[in-house]
Amino acid sequence: MLHIYCPHCCEYREEEEFHCKGQAHIARPLDPDNCSEQEWANFIFFRKNTKGQHQELWHHSAGCGKFFNVSRNTITYKIEQSYLLGTAPQPVLDVNKEGKA
Ligand SMILES: [Zn+2]
């Protein structure tokens, strides 16, 4: 079971309190009245299938009811960080790589 940090509640909670809503940072077309069908299709349907580090939108549905982003590794399921909407994930330093340099 994952323990997920909610940046709104400022504490870790069990995975069962949350719902993943898919890929994060999906930008809505700037001019929806004049964009192509392909641009709409990309916005609505098409998502990355990332192997490795991936940013996801999560909802604390059984808690505060707010949305936030999670940076998670899709291979190991390890969550690197949770962060508020409208912000970017912070770079994570790999201690092993830093030590070898
Ligand atoms: Zn919360």
Side-chain angles (χ1 to χ4, degrees):
M1 171 171 302
L2 295 174
H3 286 93
I4 300 171
Y5 182 80
C6 176
H8 298 285
C9 297
C10 298
E11 59 186 16
Y12 284 90
R13 297 286 186 89
E14 293 185 356
E15 179 184 0
E16 294 169 344
E17 293 188 14
F18 300 88
H19 282 104
C20 182
K21 297 296 186 179
Q23 183 181 334
H25 306 288
I26 304 295
R28 183 182 174 90
L30 293 176
D31 188 3
D33 293 331
N34 295 312
C35 73
S36 68
E37 289 184 7
Q38 185 62 50
E39 287 174 306
W40 266 120
N42 289 341
F43 171 67
I44 293 172
F45 299 114
F46 297 111
R47 300 293 180 259
K48 294 178 182 174
N49 188 16
T50 304
K51 181 178 182 182
Q53 210 61 37
H54 185 63
Q55 281 73 45
E56 301 169 330
L57 178 67
W58 283 73
H59 180 225
H60 195 177
S61 52
C64 63
K66 295 181 180 176
F67 288 86
F68 59 96
N69 291 328
V70 166
S71 181
R72 181 178 67 87
N73 188 311
T74 59
I75 300 170
T76 64
Y77 287 90
K78 181 180 179 188
I79 294 176
E80 295 288 344
Q81 59 186 295
S82 300
Y83 54 100
L84 298 173
L85 299 183
T87 63
Q90 297 298 311
V92 176
L93 295 177
D94 186 336
V95 176
N96 293 329
K97 287 182 181 177
E98 292 296 316
K100 291 180 182 177

